[in-house]
Amino acid sequence: MEFPPFAPFPPPSVRKDIMPDEWELCLDAWLSLAQGYLLLPPEVFSSKIVKDASVARFLSSYVESNAQNPNSPKSDSKSVRLRRTCYLLTHRCLSELKQKPPLLLEWQFLSDLSILYAESPSLEPLLQSLWRTQDLNKKLQRHKASLIQTFEDAQKKDEHPELETTLTRKAALLRACPAYGQFLMLGSDFLDAVSTLYATVASSIKQRLVVIIYRCFLSLLDPLNPKYSMLLDYLYGLHSFQNQDPLLSALCSSTPFVRKLRRRIAGPEAIRAEKLIQQLSSFEGAGTLPPRRKRPTGTEVSKGKGKQKDEYGHGAFDGNLHVHKMSLVTQIQDLFPNLGSGFVIRLLDEYEDNTEAVIAHLLDGSLPPHLKSLDQSEDLPDPAPLNSTDLAPHLPPHNSPPLLPTRHNIHDNDAFDGLAISPSQIHRGLRNPSQTADTVLQDRSSAPNKAAILSALAAFDSDDDERDDTYDVGDVGGTVDAGSDEVDADGLDNRNEETLFRAWKLSPEVFERDAATRRGKARAALKSETGMTDEGIEGWGIMSGRDPRRLR
């Protein structure tokens, strides 16, 4: 039985011009042909696929077109059946045929296949078994060299639209096929190229590069084929690069890689990795990845207040989305294009708009059960129309509040406030900037008359002073002994100086500081005559010994 050839699946730019009735006929034709091929026995199926290249062209065009918008169509449409049938046909071509169509071995097709059927549990075993074929190894070896060259060329450009698409495809293929990550990590050339590119590109590209390296490192921790030694060599190399490689810091802070490494590594390499894991934990703490939130137990009594919640505890969506939140949705969909906008909104609500936490849990596959059970292709509903411009119809209208009182100051209603001042009197800064202190002193036009100054000085009597009655009896409040013999302090000092000088000339030993001299009769007589203490007499002797001029 001969089948007609497949027509290629049209891209979105052509599909929008096809009428609905014609599109339904195309879907029916593709479904009939694909189901006919699936019903063929293995020998006939292999011969027909080898002879008819239109099957591979149709599958490649279908996967490429739908990978740009991987959200699932409605469950009751023919598009869902065509998507399922195309996957079954692709699976049979890649698993049964000994001579596989070269078009189905291109990395672009495998990446788009990983995006479109990311949730299929049989995709990873299919790609892992496909990886063992020699044809695929040869194709991807050439592709690795071209990818490294693309990274080197991107360092010389400011915009990288093609690089973003390439990295998004790579991340999907690495997630579905760990063997591809191990292939890229053979040799340090790929890691060196990514690390060099990371320091020169924008933040959107950096995020994709972190996801690529995260998936490559996880492939080296694959339980079925681990390569611990290679992974530790790369990590030590990145960590020793200027003590903190920015790529390694971003990897540990924005992804759960350190937790994965600590949990999965085993055997003799675990001892070697202990110190490295401790050092990487410092990067892990510096990131923005928060701990998982503890879900409420339901024991708290709800009072019916607050925003409306849906059945999962998230804020109910009314169709109006803030532009900032829409930008967060776009960031996540760039890395996971198979997720619908409505599902991403629920993830952002769960993790409080933290995109790093959402990406980490998606990469880790550690979403809570209530999120895993949701439709991941859910789109946003249409925005609800605004029936009224009144934002609070339940509140009664009220009068406008009175205006605040006007403040007054001392300058109100003066000449300047009333605009009665002459413009010639208004100036900014100094009135005469060229005037200095010397010119002011030399200007005698406004100086007082010399004759007036002399007459004022002549009238002043310097001897005419008021009597000082500060210490009068009536003012002091007591009596003053006016007859007491006051001792002149200067005279007393002079007499002591003479006495001490004579004692010094006669016997300098009198000024010694030992106990015997202090108890001697000569010291006692000197103290009695001068009225000074031992310390004062000895101090006078010390100062005289230091300054001989005092003895002249």
Side-chain angles (χ1 to χ4, degrees), residues 52 83 117 183 220 236 267 298 362 367 402 427 436 500 525:
D52 190 359
R83 176 171 295 190
Y117 300 104
F183 164 76
L220 300 179
Y236 273 110
L362 287 173
L367 293 177
H427 61 87
T436 62
L500 293 172

Side-chain angles (χ1 to χ4, degrees), residues 195-437:
S195 180
T196 305
L197 179 63
Y198 183 84
T200 60
V201 294
S203 58
S204 59
I205 303 294
K206 288 183 178 181
Q207 195 175 27
R208 288 170 171 81
L209 292 175
V210 169
V211 174
I212 293 295
I213 295 302
Y214 171 73
R215 283 297 172 188
C216 288
F217 282 173
L218 281 191
S219 67
L220 300 179
L221 292 173
D222 186 19
L224 300 179
N225 186 21
K227 298 184 181 298
Y228 299 140
S229 180
M230 181 188 299
L231 175 62
L232 293 180
D233 290 341
Y234 289 146
L235 291 177
Y236 273 110
L238 289 176
H239 185 63
S240 62
F241 176 72
Q242 296 180 355
N243 296 326
Q244 183 176 351
D245 188 272
L247 177 61
L248 181 62
S249 177
L251 174 69
C252 298
S253 61
S254 59
T255 66
F257 173 70
V258 179
R259 295 199 299 266
K260 294 269 191 179
L261 178 63
R262 187 184 298 112
R263 186 171 62 250
R264 291 190 182 183
I265 195 166
E269 299 294 340
I271 301 176
R272 180 188 174 196
E274 286 182 1
K275 184 177 179 180
L276 178 63
I277 292 175
Q278 293 177 359
Q279 295 172 348
L280 296 182
S281 299
S282 61
F283 299 149
E284 185 182 25
T288 56
L289 185 63
R292 298 181 183 177
R293 290 193 304 160
K294 183 179 179 181
R295 296 196 58 78
T297 57
T299 57
E300 183 179 357
V301 178
S302 176
K303 298 181 180 179
K305 300 179 180 180
K307 294 183 178 180
Q308 182 182 359
K309 303 289 184 179
D310 61 5
E311 57 179 327
Y312 299 105
H314 302 292
F317 180 70
D318 58 357
N320 299 320
L321 189 63
H322 195 273
V323 63
H324 171 67
K325 197 157 193 175
M326 197 64 221
S327 66
L328 301 181
V329 173
T330 305
Q331 293 179 21
I332 297 175
Q333 285 185 327
D334 287 342
L335 297 177
F336 303 93
N338 59 306
L339 301 181
S341 302
F343 180 70
V344 176
I345 289 293
R346 296 184 184 274
L347 294 179
L348 291 173
D349 290 342
E350 175 72 15
Y351 297 105
E352 300 176 351
D353 292 348
N354 192 323
T355 55
E356 287 80 4
V358 173
I359 293 172
H361 285 286
L362 287 173
L363 293 174
D364 197 13
S366 59
L367 293 177
H370 66 280
L371 291 177
K372 285 185 177 180
S373 60
L374 297 179
D375 181 13
Q376 296 191 1
S377 60
E378 176 188 1
D379 286 325
L380 292 175
D382 296 331
L386 297 177
N387 298 326
S388 174
T389 58
D390 190 0
L391 300 179
H394 59 284
L395 296 178
H398 56 80
N399 297 328
S400 300
L403 298 177
L404 295 176
T406 305
R407 299 184 63 181
H408 300 277
N409 55 47
I410 60 175
H411 301 289
D412 290 341
N413 301 323
D414 60 0
F416 199 86
D417 189 29
L419 303 179
I421 192 171
S422 174
S424 61
Q425 297 177 276
I426 302 174
H427 61 87
R428 178 179 296 177
L430 298 176
R431 182 186 296 273
N432 188 4
S434 61
Q435 191 176 36
T436 62

Side-chain angles (χ1 to χ4, degrees), residues 3-20:
F3 290 128
F6 272 96
F9 196 85
S13 58
V14 178
R15 196 187 320 166
K16 65 180 182 180
D17 298 330
I18 302 178
M19 300 300 293

Side-chain angles (χ1 to χ4, degrees), residues 501 504-505 542-552:
F501 180 74
W504 177 271
K505 287 294 186 180
I542 293 174
M543 296 303 297
S544 299
R546 292 181 179 178
D547 188 7
R549 290 177 296 178
R550 294 170 58 92
L551 303 177
R552 294 177 182 177

Side-chain angles (χ1 to χ4, degrees), residues 477-517:
T479 60
V480 178
D481 187 6
S484 62
D485 186 12
E486 296 182 356
V487 180
D488 187 3
D490 294 335
L492 180 61
D493 290 341
N494 291 333
R495 290 195 297 271
N496 286 343
E497 287 285 336
E498 294 176 1
T499 304
L500 293 172
F501 180 74
R502 288 196 304 268
W504 177 271
K505 287 294 186 180
L506 294 175
S507 179
E509 294 81 6
V510 180
F511 295 90
E512 295 294 335
R513 301 175 65 184
D514 54 351
T517 303

